[in-house]
């Protein structure tokens, strides 16, 4: 999503009115780290009128006026509000109808201006007016420029704290106000904002002014503006709410699924909250260049095109499910985030964790055959990986400035947060939990909240104390390792549970030998095998570090320590228990089999288990029928391929990959690469994962040749292969591809019929292995061929390409000044997080030195985590080299 636009200005100049003279300003204050970046709570906006003149087809500038109606809680001689990268003038303050002389003082270190008054004004009402001018930004923040072919647009992206780069405002979530927005632009431009258009006034010189209805109370980060040549779908209705999809011209055929998903999920959200959709309209806007995946602007939700516009004939099942999940996530925010908003960014998780959980919950109720909680398990697994690091952070974490707020848009806030929400919902019961959420939303609508408001509502509804259970989960970093051992005593079977903070390395390799004192209240649910085909759940609230749980079954066939993967912890089973689970794995649900693999792999990484038996387990799963379980199997195998490449001789590394191919090729041959009539989605998805295992990881030559052949067919006719194979087929084709194929991919990306096809071919140029093509792909990151939104993602892909990663890191260092301008704050962490794939002490040192010399405000935590991951990988490689060599020798016998 990041990139600085180098677009040319229009060659058709327009005569502009002279702008207002700048107001006299005092000397800027010296830069220093402020004690607090929060604005005074004693000056609050109630209503805000914003008028902006912008026409991106004619100019890269904009100008406007803003009028704030304020409530002053006490006498004051100054008003501070946010403004950054704007030229301000014509400051006017009125109190009781009387003008008060005022001057501006810039505070760049606080991204604010102070309005210094010539006299003290009393508590009560006041009006503050300012004129402002700025340039459409190139970094996808504030009010920024975007392009689709030759058309130019202006869009906003204001979360977390970028409304201040659009107009002078009180840019903190607690300052909710009612906004009236008006826009003067070219007569041919579409203009969208949060509310419906109230009226459009034609002007001279081919211009118009669009006036929008005043909004309900909103935080500034939820405001929206889109200006440019946009087309709209026919509406669909969810009760009285009309839903429309807006897009750049020519993509109307791709809107049907988004409309269906929005209608179906919105109806279920209204039923869940027992409250109608709270805004006057619902526009879904496909933005051609956008930093985030999507943004929950009230009434006007913005999306990346890939997450809104799809062709049912060519979309993959993963892409389709992801579109539905993201749409539902953003619509859940209309209640959880927009209607009820966190008071400050340290409670960001109140917005994002609940919207994440709600999206999976609602889409699963709409499409149970999609098995959305299996998808969630993959995301949760990634969150467990990040949260195992010493450099993780609590779900709730103190936020001192906007950069720290931006850092928190990560796996911990979203996926760990959603996992804790799910755990609490399961513990309290679905009905009590929903009643508490309804009460919370009803009590705090159009206001701001903190976490305790939610705990109080859930406690009242469930008649249980919620805060003592949940507090440790949101205020402590990390998660428990739960050791589980069964014991037979006095004729009864019982479980011995012992918790400790999970560590991703053996104790002897840890920097700190002191054991962690952390503990968590665990609403534990286990699965006990009671008969040949039967099992039952056992529940227990564990509030101590050690606990005992009696089992109703005298001699259970097996015990699985995290039923339905509902708890955010890793169970550690005894070796005999693990053997019993492996033998009875078909009695576990698919998500539990995914967990079984993931937890066993984490035990190997943490030094609690050996790599040989783990490989034996993974390579016996070739007959697994569930594609999500196979995908879970592929994750540790991919990591072990990297370990083999780094620590084994090349011939041994090739032999390791061949063993993967040998294990899964019979299943791939059985299902073939051609789709069959009346196949289920699972069968098609299973084929795709098997192709990845055999062709990508196993690198079987015959399979790769067939994939290259299918890639050539796919380039000529998208209908020749099952869409679910497309990503892997194109990636394998690229890995073995030449210059002609590279050029073909570029032309197909340019001419693509869908956003997904464009993404597929553009990202695939990062998979080529020939050195000159690697360099060409890297240089394209500095051109408009790779959109701003895609630069960080492509660099991340190339760091994952073992034949391109060293060249990619060298390029990043050499061209960082230009690259940094093309990676917005939320995206710049992506390639940083991928640098550990370089491996080794040398590259760790280089990464540390480089980012010490080129610090990134929103990437400090990412750098620390990357350096820690370098260390973890090195320790694991050193510890695993000999066991891997021994395992390979044993396989060769």
């Amino acid at each position: 999503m990041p990139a600085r636009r180098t677009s040319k200005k229009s060659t058709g100049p327009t005569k502009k009115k002279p702008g207002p003279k700048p107001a006299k300003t005092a000397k800027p204050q010296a830069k220093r780290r402020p004690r607090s970046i929060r604005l005074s709570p004693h000056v609050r906006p109630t209503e805000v009128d914003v008028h902006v003149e912008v026409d991106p087809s004619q100019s890269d500038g904009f100008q406007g006026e803003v009028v704030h109606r304020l409530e002053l809680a006490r006498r004051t001689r100054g008003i501070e509000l946010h403004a950054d990268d704007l030229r301000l003038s014509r400051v006017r303050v009125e109190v009781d109808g009387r003008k008060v002389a005022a001057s501006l003082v810039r505070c760049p270190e606080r991204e604010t201006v102070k309005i210094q008054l010539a006299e003290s004004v009393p508590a009560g009402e006041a009006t503050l007016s300012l004129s402002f001018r700025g340039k459409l930004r190139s970094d996808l923040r504030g009010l920024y420029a975007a392009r689709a072919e030759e058309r130019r647009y202006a869009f906003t992206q204001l979360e977390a704290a970028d409304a201040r780069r659009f107009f002078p405002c009180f840019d903190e979530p607690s300052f909710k106000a009612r906004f009236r927005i008006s826009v003067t632009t070219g007569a041919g431009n579409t203009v969208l904002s949060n509310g419906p258009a109230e009226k459009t006034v034609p002007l001279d010189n081919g211009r118009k002014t669009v006036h929008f209805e005043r909004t309900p109370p909103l935080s500034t980060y939820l405001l929206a503006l889109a200006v440019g040549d946009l087309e709209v779908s026919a509406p669909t209705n969810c009760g009285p709410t009309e839903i429309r999809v807006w897009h750049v011209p020519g993509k109307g055929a791709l809107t049907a699924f988004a409309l269906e998903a929005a209608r179906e999920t919105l109806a279920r959200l209204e039923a869940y909250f027992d409250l109608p959709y709270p805004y006057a309209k619902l526009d879904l806007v496909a933005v051609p260049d956008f930093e985030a995946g999507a943004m929950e602007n009230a009434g006007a939700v913005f999306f990346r095109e890939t997450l809104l516009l799809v062709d049912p004939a060519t979309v993959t099942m993963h892409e389709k499910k992801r579109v539905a999940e993201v749409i539902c996530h953003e619509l859940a925010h209309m209640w959880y985030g927009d209607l009820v908003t966190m008071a400050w960014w340290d409670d960001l998780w109140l917005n994002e964790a609940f919207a994440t959980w709600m999206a999976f919950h609602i889409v699963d109720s709409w499409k149970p055959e999609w098995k959305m909680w299996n998808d969630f398990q993959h995301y949760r697994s990634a969150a467990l990986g990040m949260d195992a690091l010493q450099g993780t952070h609590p779900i709730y974490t103190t936020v001192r400035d906007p950069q720290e707020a931006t850092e928190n848009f990560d796996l911990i806030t979203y996926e760990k947060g959603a996992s804790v929400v799910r755990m609490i919902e399961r513990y309290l019961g679905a009905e009590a939990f929903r009643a508490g959420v309804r009460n919370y939303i009803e009590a705090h609508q159009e206001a701001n909240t903190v976490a305790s408001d939610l705990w109080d509502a859930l406690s009242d509804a469930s008649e249980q104390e919620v805060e003592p259970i949940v507090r440790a989960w949101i205020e402590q970093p990390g998660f428990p390792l739960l050791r589980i051992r069964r014991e037979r005593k006095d004729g009864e079977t019982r479980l011995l549970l012992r918790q400790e903070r999970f560590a991703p390395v053996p104790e002897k390799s840890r920097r700190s030998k002191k054991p962690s004192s952390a503990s968590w209240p665990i609403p534990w649910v286990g699965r006990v095998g009671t008969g040949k085909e039967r099992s039952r759940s056992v529940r227990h609230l564990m509030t101590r570090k050690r606990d005992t749980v009696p089992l109703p079954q005298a001699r259970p066939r097996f015990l699985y320590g995290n039923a339905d993967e509902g708890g955010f912890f890793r169970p550690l089973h005894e070796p005999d228990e693990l053997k019993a689970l492996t033998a009875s794995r078909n009695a576990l649900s698919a998500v539990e089999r995914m967990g079984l693999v993931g937890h066993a792999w984490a035990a190997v990484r943490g030094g609690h288990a050996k790599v040989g038996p783990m490989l034996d387990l993974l390579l016996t799963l070739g007959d697994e029928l569930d594609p999500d379980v196979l995908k879970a199997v592929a994750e540790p195998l991919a990591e072990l391929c990297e370990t083999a490449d780094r620590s084994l001789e090349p011939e041994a590394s090739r032999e390791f990959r061949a063993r993967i191919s040998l294990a899964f090729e019979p299943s791939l041959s059985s299902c073939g690469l051609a789709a069959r009539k009346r196949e289920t989605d699972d069968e098609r998805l299973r084929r795709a994962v098997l192709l990845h295992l055999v062709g990508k990881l196993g690198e079987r030559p015959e399979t790769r040749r067939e994939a290259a052949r299918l890639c050539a067919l796919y380039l000529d006719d998208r209908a020749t292969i099952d869409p679910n194979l497309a990503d892997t087929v194109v990636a394998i084709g690229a890995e073995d591809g030449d210059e002609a194929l590279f050029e073909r991919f570029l032309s197909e990306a340019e001419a693509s019929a869908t956003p997904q096809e464009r993404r597929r071919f553009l990202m695939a140029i990062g998979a080529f292995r020939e050195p000159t093509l690697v360099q060409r792909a890297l240089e394209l990151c500095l051109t408009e061929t790779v959109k701003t939104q895609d630069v960080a993602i492509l660099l991340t892909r190339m760091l994952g390409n073992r034949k391109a990663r060293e060249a990619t890191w060298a390029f990043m260092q050499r061209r960082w000044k230009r690259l940094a301008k093309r990676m917005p704050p939320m995206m710049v962490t992506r390639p940083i997080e991928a640098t550990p794939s370089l491996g080794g002490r040398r590259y760790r040192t280089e990464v540390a030195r480089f980012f010490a010399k080129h610090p990134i405000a929103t990437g400090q935590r990412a750098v620390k985590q990357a350096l820690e991951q370098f260390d973890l990988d090195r320790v694991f490689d050193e510890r695993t080299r000999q066991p891997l060599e021994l395992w390979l020798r044993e396989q060769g016998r």
Side-chain angles (χ1 to χ4, degrees):
M1 24 163 95
R4 156 164 253 171
R5 287 297 243 189
T6 54
S7 53
K8 299 175 183 176
K9 294 182 180 179
S10 169
T11 54
T14 57
K15 190 174 181 180
K16 297 181 183 178
K17 296 179 180 178
K21 293 181 180 179
K24 290 183 179 180
T25 61
K27 187 178 180 181
Q29 296 178 351
K31 276 202 171 186
R32 61 183 183 275
R33 178 78 178 182
R35 268 187 223 167
S36 170
I37 50 82
R38 303 288 294 275
L39 298 180
S40 167
H42 304 298
V43 180
R44 303 190 66 85
T46 56
E47 291 189 344
V48 183
D49 293 350
V50 184
H51 177 71
V52 62
E53 296 182 37
V54 58
D55 188 347
S57 67
Q58 301 297 317
S59 169
D60 63 355
F62 64 91
Q63 64 181 13
E65 304 82 39
V66 59
V67 179
H68 295 277
R69 277 171 282 284
L70 306 173
E71 287 285 349
L72 308 181
R74 63 188 185 187
R75 179 175 289 275
T76 185
R77 285 200 62 172
I79 299 169
E80 185 179 25
L81 71 164
H82 292 103
D84 192 43
D85 284 349
L86 297 172
R87 292 174 59 197
L88 306 182
S89 60
R90 292 183 179 174
V91 57
R92 300 172 296 281
V93 176
E94 291 188 11
V95 177
D96 294 331
R98 182 174 61 87
K99 291 183 180 179
V100 178
S103 61
L104 293 171
V105 178
R106 299 191 195 99
C107 307
E109 79 285 357
R110 293 172 58 82
E111 299 182 347
T112 65
V113 292
K114 290 181 179 178
I115 313 300
Q116 292 188 338
L117 306 178
E119 61 185 83
S120 178
V121 298
E125 296 182 356
T127 300
L128 167 64
S129 304
L130 287 161
S131 296
F132 59 92
R133 302 174 72 92
K135 283 193 172 184
L136 295 176
R137 300 178 67 87
S138 59
D139 58 0
L140 310 187
R141 306 164 68 195
L143 182 61
Y144 70 89
R147 181 188 289 255
E149 297 177 345
E150 296 307 311
R151 297 182 179 90
R152 286 176 55 84
Y153 297 86
F155 293 100
T156 52
Q157 170 57 25
L158 306 182
E159 190 179 27
D162 290 315
R164 65 193 66 181
R165 295 172 177 86
F166 175 21
F167 67 98
C169 58
F170 294 80
D171 198 15
E172 295 178 11
S174 62
F175 291 113
K176 284 193 164 186
R178 302 181 71 232
F179 292 84
R180 185 185 295 278
I181 295 175
S182 59
V183 180
T184 298
T185 188
N189 285 332
T190 295
V191 185
L192 302 174
S193 189
N194 303 89
E198 191 173 52
K199 62 179 179 180
T200 299
V201 179
L203 303 174
D204 296 337
N205 301 321
R207 300 193 306 157
K208 66 182 179 182
T209 297
V210 182
H211 298 265
F212 293 94
E213 294 179 6
R214 192 173 294 282
T215 69
L218 293 176
S219 302
T220 49
Y221 80 89
L222 295 168
L223 297 178
L225 182 63
V227 181
D229 184 5
L230 295 170
E231 295 178 349
V232 65
S233 69
T236 190
N237 280 74
C238 178
T241 303
E242 285 192 341
I243 307 170
R244 292 178 172 84
V245 173
W246 295 83
H247 52 86
V248 300
K251 298 189 177 182
L254 307 179
T255 63
F257 178 71
L259 289 166
E260 178 191 8
R263 182 186 67 243
E264 295 295 332
T265 57
L266 187 65
R268 287 164 174 80
L269 287 164
E270 289 183 321
Y272 189 92
F273 291 115
D274 195 25
L275 197 66
Y277 172 72
Y279 300 105
K281 69 176 180 68
L282 180 53
D283 290 331
L284 312 180
V285 184
V287 180
D289 208 1
F290 195 60
E291 179 183 15
M295 179 61 210
E296 65 269 21
N297 309 311
V301 186
F302 288 3
F303 296 80
R304 283 190 176 218
E305 290 183 324
T306 52
L307 296 175
L308 191 67
L309 306 176
V310 301
D311 179 356
T314 61
V315 68
T316 70
M317 178 54 63
H318 172 74
E319 290 164 344
K320 194 173 185 180
K321 290 162 73 173
R322 178 68 172 148
V323 167
E325 180 239 313
V326 171
I327 288 173
C328 187
H329 178 110
E330 303 309 322
L331 296 188
H333 273 311
M334 298 299 110
W335 290 267
Y336 232 115
D338 295 12
L339 186 64
V340 179
T341 311
M342 79 259 151
W344 180 242
W345 295 107
D346 43 18
D347 271 320
L348 172 66
W349 74 277
L350 277 175
N351 284 12
E352 299 301 347
F354 270 83
T356 301
W357 173 80
M358 187 66 77
F360 283 92
H361 178 78
I362 293 294
V363 176
D364 184 62
S365 70
W366 173 39
K367 292 284 189 181
E369 68 274 17
W370 283 0
K371 305 178 198 172
M372 290 299 294
W373 290 110
N374 287 10
D375 283 43
F376 181 77
Q377 173 65 13
H378 295 299
Y379 299 124
R380 172 179 168 273
S381 178
L384 285 164
M386 177 179 282
D387 206 32
L389 300 175
Q390 288 298 309
T392 186
H393 66 92
I395 295 173
Y396 174 94
T397 185
T398 301
V399 170
R400 295 171 297 177
D401 56 42
Q403 290 76 26
E404 288 184 354
T406 299
E407 278 193 299
N408 287 340
F409 287 83
D410 65 2
L411 290 165
I412 303 303
T413 296
Y414 283 70
E415 279 74 22
K416 180 182 179 180
S419 298
V420 172
V421 170
R422 185 184 184 211
M423 192 164 60
I424 297 303
E425 190 246 8
R426 286 163 57 87
Y427 173 70
L428 297 179
E431 292 303 316
F433 183 84
R434 180 169 64 177
V437 168
R438 287 176 173 179
N439 293 343
Y440 168 79
I441 296 292
E442 177 68 26
H444 300 286
Q445 54 186 312
E446 298 189 342
N448 297 91
T449 60
V450 294
S452 60
D453 296 317
L454 177 61
W455 310 145
D456 291 345
L458 291 174
S459 295
D460 290 345
S462 65
E463 298 182 344
Q464 299 184 66
E465 285 297 320
V466 172
E467 186 169 0
I469 296 173
V470 75
R471 188 165 185 166
W473 291 97
I474 67 166
E475 294 185 0
Q476 282 187 155
F479 59 88
L481 174 72
L482 188 62
R483 297 177 183 269
I484 302 172
R485 181 166 64 88
R486 69 165 99 172
E487 179 182 78
R488 185 86 176 154
K489 189 174 183 180
D490 299 330
E492 294 182 350
T493 301
R494 61 180 187 170
L495 295 180
L496 305 181
L497 306 180
R498 177 161 62 92
Q499 64 163 296
E500 62 194 67
R501 180 173 174 177
F502 179 84
V505 290
E507 186 174 351
K508 64 181 180 181
S509 300
R510 298 174 200 167
R511 290 182 179 178
S512 173
K513 306 299 181 183
K514 184 180 179 180
S516 170
S517 61
S519 66
W520 292 259
I522 303 176
W524 181 75
V525 185
R527 184 169 307 286
V528 178
T530 57
K532 189 174 182 181
E533 300 294 335
R534 297 190 305 275
S535 66
R536 60 174 294 179
S537 297
V538 177
R539 298 174 181 271
H540 178 73
L541 179 60
M542 184 180 180
T543 58
R544 300 176 296 177
K545 282 208 162 192
R546 297 172 182 265
D547 216 340
T548 303
V549 181
L551 287 182
Q553 185 77 9
R555 296 186 184 276
R557 186 162 48 98
F558 65 84
L559 169 77
Y560 186 65
N562 197 353
D564 300 321
E565 289 303 306
F568 195 79
F569 58 85
R570 290 203 182 276
L572 181 63
H573 301 94
E574 296 280 299
D576 288 345
E577 197 72 68
L578 194 57
K579 288 179 182 178
L581 282 166
T582 303
S584 303
R585 66 178 185 270
N586 290 332
L588 301 176
S589 66
V591 77
E592 289 167 344
R593 298 199 299 279
M594 295 167 69
L596 178 66
V597 169
H599 300 316
W601 172 238
V604 172
R605 291 280 311 201
H608 303 291
K610 296 180 179 179
V611 71
M614 178 71 194
L615 278 167
D616 293 337
L617 167 64
L618 294 174
L619 298 186
T620 60
L621 295 175
D623 59 350
E624 171 62 54
L625 298 179
D626 189 280
D628 284 302
V629 179
L630 281 175
K631 189 175 177 182
V633 167
E635 290 171 8
L637 287 175
E639 288 191 44
L640 283 166
C641 284
E642 293 285 343
T643 292
D645 290 340
R646 289 191 298 258
S647 59
L648 301 185
E649 294 296 324
E651 184 177 347
S653 180
R654 287 191 292 272
E655 174 62 19
F656 180 75
R657 290 178 180 272
R659 289 293 163 184
I660 297 174
S661 170
L662 193 64
F664 295 98
E665 193 279 329
S667 293
L668 181 61
S669 293
S670 177
C671 67
L673 289 178
R676 301 166 185 171
K677 291 182 179 179
R678 294 184 292 277
E679 275 188 326
T680 65
D681 288 334
D682 274 1
E683 289 171 321
R684 291 171 182 263
L685 292 169
R686 179 174 181 262
R687 176 185 294 113
V689 183
L690 287 169
L691 176 60
H692 173 78
L693 282 160
V694 177
K696 280 274 290 174
L697 297 184
E699 294 190 343
R700 182 173 181 264
E702 297 86 350
T703 303
R704 293 178 71 82
R705 285 194 292 271
E706 179 62 10
R709 186 184 73 83
L710 292 176
C711 179
L713 294 174
Y714 178 73
L715 284 166
D716 293 331
D717 182 357
R718 303 293 189 263
T720 53
I721 67 172
D722 172 21
N724 296 295
L725 295 181
D727 279 333
T728 303
V729 161
V730 168
I732 292 175
E735 288 173 353
D736 299 330
D738 56 14
E739 185 177 7
L741 189 64
F742 188 96
E743 293 292 345
R744 181 71 185 275
F745 278 15
L746 287 178
S747 64
E748 291 295 327
E750 183 69 22
S752 58
T754 72
Q756 293 76 25
E757 286 181 8
R758 184 185 183 283
R759 176 203 59 79
R760 181 170 297 123
F761 288 115
L762 187 65
M763 291 300 113
I765 69 172
F768 282 81
R769 294 176 171 177
E770 205 280 322
T772 59
L773 299 180
V774 169
Q775 288 301 322
R776 281 197 59 196
L778 290 168
E779 292 294 340
L780 286 172
C781 291
L782 300 174
T783 73
E784 289 188 18
T785 298
V786 181
K787 289 186 177 183
T788 306
Q789 64 179 9
D790 296 320
V791 173
I793 299 173
L794 182 55
L795 289 173
T796 302
R797 293 283 186 98
M798 296 187 72
L799 284 167
N801 176 352
R802 71 181 191 272
K803 298 293 186 180
R805 56 180 54 131
E806 293 182 357
T808 300
W809 172 237
F811 178 81
M812 286 172 59
Q813 294 175 88
R814 190 171 65 251
R815 308 303 292 272
W816 183 254
K817 187 174 181 180
R818 290 185 62 188
L819 284 171
K821 294 176 181 178
R822 303 205 77 208
M823 292 187 285
M826 199 179 295
M827 294 298 295
V828 71
T829 58
R830 299 280 188 94
I832 295 172
E833 291 165 354
T835 55
S837 63
L838 292 159
R841 296 177 189 271
R842 170 197 158 192
Y843 284 113
R844 185 201 186 280
T845 300
E846 286 187 11
V847 169
R849 287 176 176 169
F850 182 79
F851 288 111
K853 187 177 179 181
H854 303 87
I856 299 167
T858 58
Q860 299 303 303
R861 184 187 295 143
V863 172
K864 291 177 182 177
Q865 291 175 340
L867 297 178
E868 183 180 351
Q869 193 63 55
F870 266 107
D871 294 337
L872 294 176
D873 290 345
R874 178 179 52 79
V875 169
F876 182 72
D877 291 350
E878 292 171 355
R879 179 162 52 88
T880 306
R881 181 177 59 82
Q882 288 185 343
L884 263 183
E885 290 173 338
L886 176 61
W887 182 83
L888 284 170
R889 286 197 297 271
E890 290 174 347
Q891 301 304 305
R893 291 173 185 168

